[in-house]
Amino acid sequence: MNQAQAQFEDEKTRLRQRAFEQRGAIARADWADMAKDAAAHFLEGVPIATGKVVALYWPIRDEIDCKPLLTALVDSGQPVCLPVVLGDGEPLELRLWEEGQPLYPSGFGTLAPAETAPVVEPDIVVIPLLGFDKLGTRLGYGKGYYDRTLARLSKKTLLVGYAFSGQELDFIPRETHDMPLDILVTETGIRKFPVA
């Protein structure tokens, strides 16, 4: 790793620490209402054609809870898939979750459909994040799971960040492999970003 890359990684580490602190400062008493508001904004403002597959996630730690959105989509008959971690350095496997099917622990405190569930390519990817900026750059946990997953998809997907508004950072440096968000959904509304 050269000096410029080392400085870049140091800056990302500092930003992740700040993002964890900001997210951790959001009042837990407000989480449930914020999650419901974010789901309502998503359903009102993100275009989803009938039958298009939406990739969601099972929230961990103090991520905004996307279960209200997950429930609303499944109840409406919209196909939903959830990610499965296959191993370090691997892309995520996105498995279709069909109504009534159980979910199983799949690492990092997440739940996912069974191994027998169909593997699909989503049309919309709702992605958790640590932080975001006004340019639609997202800050993840640094493991690269979503970067690898998005890079291997055979079609362009709509990339939707899902977060608390309090997770905004002033600026996040972006590398060439970092895919910016198309849309950001928080409890306060929706932001759309121009294609980079």
Side-chain angles (χ1 to χ4, degrees), residues 42 46-48 52-56 122-126 157-160:
F42 182 101
V46 177
I48 309 174
K52 296 295 184 182
V53 178
V54 180
L56 275 166
D123 301 285
I124 298 171
V125 176
V126 179
T157 61
L158 187 70
L159 188 56
V160 180

Side-chain angles (χ1 to χ4, degrees), residues 10-186:
D10 287 346
E11 175 63 12
K12 282 281 192 86
T13 299
R14 283 191 294 275
L15 285 171
R16 285 189 183 97
Q17 181 60 39
R18 186 180 320 149
F20 271 120
E21 290 168 2
Q22 282 184 209
R23 194 171 70 182
I26 297 167
R28 286 184 180 264
D30 298 331
W31 283 9
D33 287 338
M34 290 173 150
K36 289 176 189 172
D37 290 344
H41 291 307
F42 182 101
L43 294 168
E44 290 167 10
V46 177
I48 309 174
T50 302
K52 296 295 184 182
V53 178
V54 180
L56 275 166
Y57 61 92
W58 197 263
I60 59 171
R61 300 182 188 139
D62 48 6
E63 291 174 345
I64 191 167
D65 188 356
C66 65
K67 293 194 292 287
L69 176 59
L70 180 65
T71 300
L73 291 173
V74 169
D75 286 350
S76 72
Q78 197 75 39
V80 171
C81 62
L82 293 170
V84 178
V85 175
L86 299 177
D88 287 345
E90 297 291 324
L92 299 166
E93 185 171 84
L94 299 167
R95 296 181 190 162
L96 195 65
W97 184 37
E98 296 167 303
E99 190 173 6
Q101 294 300 308
L103 295 172
Y104 299 93
S106 65
F108 299 101
T110 64
L111 297 177
E115 290 180 8
T116 55
V119 176
V120 295
E121 281 207 357
D123 301 285
I124 298 171
V125 176
V126 179
I127 186 169
L129 41 82
L130 264 177
F132 61 89
D133 68 15
K134 65 179 183 279
L135 301 175
T137 307
R138 63 184 176 84
L139 181 67
Y141 295 104
K143 298 285 189 181
Y145 288 113
Y146 275 96
D147 291 326
R148 287 188 294 276
T149 303
L150 295 169
R152 75 167 180 131
L153 295 178
S154 64
K155 61 185 175 185
K156 170 71 173 108
T157 61
L158 187 70
L159 188 56
V160 180
Y162 209 70
F164 295 111
S165 59
Q167 291 177 244
E168 185 167 2
L169 299 168
D170 292 333
F171 176 76
I172 300 169
R174 190 187 296 175
E175 291 185 285
T176 53
H177 68 268
D178 290 329
M179 296 181 67
L181 301 170
D182 297 305
I183 297 175
L184 174 75
V185 178
T186 72

